[in-house]
Amino acid sequence: MALKDIIILPDTQLRLVSKPVETVTPEVRQLVDDMFQTMYDAPGIGLAAIQVAQPLRLITMDLAKRDENGDTNPQPRVFINPEIIAKSDELSVYEEGCLSIPEYYEEVERPAKVRVRFLDINGKVHEEEAEGLYATCIQHEIDHLNGVLFIDYLSKLKRDRVMKKFSKAAKRAAE
Ligand code: GNR
Ligand code: NI
C-alpha cells in the first residue's frame, strides 16, 4: 500500500474527463488500495481516482461514522464506472467539502435521491438507491469523473474568489 498525493486547485487535471476502467488488472487493484489508504489518511469520506492524478472512472468511499467510543466499523466501498440512472425531483442541501479544495465548505443543492449503477472490484454489476450523505457523496464523486467540482454549483463570485485564493497560494508555494 502507498499513500498518494492528492492534487488540489488550481491543478487542471481536476478538469479532465476520466476514462472507463476496461479490466480490473492488478494495477487497478493496487490503485484502489492506495486510494483507500490516501482517503483514510486525509481523512475523507470519498475519493475519485483523478484526485490522485489517475484519470480513471473509479471511486472509493466509506461513510462509516464513529461510535460513542470513537471507534469505526470500516465500510469500504468501491465504485467502478458508476452511472447515475435516475434522480429524484426532490432536492436536498448539504454542506460540502473537497480534499482537492482544502478547508473550504459551502452548501450545495442536489437531487435528494439517486439510483446508481456500478461495477464492484470483481466486475459484478450493482444497482443501488442512494439517499442522504450517500446520495450527496456519490454525486460529488461522479462529478469528479466528469471534471466537475462542487464550486461549479456556487455563484461566479464565490467560485472566482476560491479560484483566486488557491491560485495565489500555488504561486507563493512556487517561489
Ligand atoms: O471528505 C469529503 N467529505 C464530503 C463532505 C460533503 C460532501 C462531499 C464530500 S466528499 C469529500 C472528499 C472528496 O473530496 N471527495 O471527492
Ligand atoms: Ni471532492
Side-chain angles (χ1 to χ4, degrees):
M1 295 238 281
L3 266 185
K4 293 204 176 276
D5 287 329
I6 295 176
I7 61 175
I8 64 171
L9 277 184
D11 195 318
T12 55
Q13 292 176 89
L14 291 167
R15 295 308 189 177
L16 291 175
V17 176
S18 293
K19 296 265 186 327
V21 174
E22 299 292 349
T23 6
V24 180
T25 59
E27 288 73 23
V28 169
R29 286 174 189 272
Q30 180 66 56
L31 174 58
V32 168
D33 281 356
D34 293 350
M35 285 172 63
F36 274 116
Q37 195 188 349
T38 304
M39 182 182 85
Y40 287 126
D41 179 77
I45 59 173
L47 192 70
I50 192 59
Q51 294 181 275
V52 292
Q54 301 296 316
L56 286 172
R57 303 189 80 82
L58 181 61
I59 289 164
T60 55
M61 191 183 295
D62 192 329
L63 304 175
K65 289 224 173 67
R66 289 185 182 281
D67 66 16
E68 54 279 10
N69 303 317
D71 298 331
T72 50
N73 260 346
Q75 292 173 337
R77 301 158 150 268
V78 181
F79 300 84
I80 297 176
N81 303 340
E83 289 173 78
I84 289 175
I85 55 175
K87 302 175 181 188
S88 64
D89 291 331
E90 186 201 341
L91 304 175
S92 78
V93 175
Y94 203 92
E95 184 172 80
E96 299 197 17
C98 182
L99 294 171
S100 297
I101 314 174
E103 289 164 54
Y104 183 74
Y105 305 90
E106 271 292 349
E107 289 189 335
V108 176
E109 193 174 45
R110 300 181 184 269
K113 294 182 185 175
V114 294
R115 191 161 183 83
V116 56
R117 184 185 293 152
F118 59 96
L119 303 177
D120 66 20
I121 195 72
N122 299 312
K124 184 172 175 241
V125 184
H126 295 259
E127 246 186 62
E128 288 181 10
E129 199 82 51
E131 57 182 312
L133 181 58
Y134 181 18
T136 293
C137 193
I138 194 68
Q139 292 177 80
H140 175 116
E141 301 308 340
I142 291 176
D143 273 352
H144 274 301
L145 308 185
N146 296 321
V148 173
L149 301 170
F150 83 89
I151 55 171
D152 299 344
Y153 298 102
L154 308 180
S155 68
K156 181 170 168 10
L157 180 70
K158 283 185 179 172
R159 186 169 52 253
D160 287 352
R161 218 185 265 151
V162 176
M163 288 303 302
K164 199 170 169 186
K165 179 183 156 201
F166 280 91
S167 299
K168 273 191 178 171
K171 271 195 194 137
R172 277 200 302 274
E175 279 173 7

